[in-house]
Amino acid sequence: MRLSDQPLISRKAIEARVAELASEVASHHGDGPLLMVVVLKGAAMFACDLMRKLPMPVTVEYVRASSYVGKRSSGEVDVDSLPAAGRVRGRRILLVEDILDTGYTISRLRAGLDRLKPARITLCTLLDKPSRRKTEVAADYVGFVIPDSFVVGYGLDYNEQYRQLPDVYALEDE
Ligand code: IMP
Ligand code: MG
């Protein structure tokens, strides 16, 4: 496996798009407080950049979910560490994910959060691979729609590697 010679999405493009996403979120949500629920580990870098651009009061919770082993979705999603119900009930939630692929992870997470009775949940994903969807989920805010290739960097990993890269790269077979 090797990284593509050129980034698929450059750090400059990411920075500009994150600012636009923050403006979109702000214009839809207004001034009211927002609870960001960030899906670990992949969305951590994106969420930190996004929250710095949001004008309203923001609180943050982190959830863990994993379905991937190497480059394949196992189809089985582990969700743990949902926030305490008292932190979610009646709140407006922005669920922040790194990438929508089959959609299983977010469907499971959304269902788990729904049971905690938030006022509403909107979904923001940095990347979207709609061609791979296996279940019906659509994000309210999408950074970039990408083709069906495996990508790393800006938080996204391949077997825990490459998360620290500031740009997003495609991972190619040698
Ligand atoms: P889904 O449940 O199939 O939608 O998978 C979503 C999760 O799989 C994301 O949170 C990522 O952690 C991981 N994932 C999906 N596609 C990629 C990729 O291209 N690179 C790195 N991780 C990915
Ligand atoms: Mg992930």
Side-chain angles (χ1 to χ4, degrees), residues 39-43 65-68 70-71 73 75 77 97-107 127 129 132-133 135 137 146 149-152 156-158 163:
V39 185
L40 292 174
K41 303 173 188 171
S66 57
S67 67
Y68 259 65
K71 286 174 71 178
S73 176
V77 182
E97 177 60 304
D98 53 359
I99 185 164
L100 276 188
D101 188 45
T102 62
Y104 289 136
T105 305
I106 276 304
S107 303
L127 303 175
K129 290 197 271 197
R132 301 246 319 150
R133 204 73 90 249
T135 170
V137 251
I146 61 167
S149 67
F150 195 85
V151 295
V152 295
L156 291 105
D157 74 306
Y158 170 63
R163 293 192 196 277

Side-chain angles (χ1 to χ4, degrees), residues 122-136:
T122 46
L123 171 61
C124 178
T125 186
L126 176 70
L127 303 175
D128 190 5
K129 290 197 271 197
S131 61
R132 301 246 319 150
R133 204 73 90 249
K134 296 263 172 53
T135 170
E136 212 174 298

Side-chain angles (χ1 to χ4, degrees), residues 67-148:
S67 67
Y68 259 65
V69 181
K71 286 174 71 178
R72 288 198 28 241
S73 176
S74 65
E76 301 214 347
V77 182
D78 284 338
V79 174
D80 63 82
S81 66
L82 278 178
R87 291 184 187 260
V88 171
R89 183 180 291 270
R91 301 291 310 275
R92 290 191 304 173
I93 293 185
L94 183 69
L95 187 55
V96 182
E97 177 60 304
D98 53 359
I99 185 164
L100 276 188
D101 188 45
T102 62
Y104 289 136
T105 305
I106 276 304
S107 303
R108 286 286 310 277
L109 267 172
R110 246 193 128 113
L113 286 168
D114 260 330
R115 284 194 284 275
L116 306 179
K117 304 272 188 283
R120 80 185 268 227
I121 301 176
T122 46
L123 171 61
C124 178
T125 186
L126 176 70
L127 303 175
D128 190 5
K129 290 197 271 197
S131 61
R132 301 246 319 150
R133 204 73 90 249
K134 296 263 172 53
T135 170
E136 212 174 298
V137 251
D140 302 277
Y141 309 98
V142 176
F144 302 90
V145 174
I146 61 167
D148 178 13

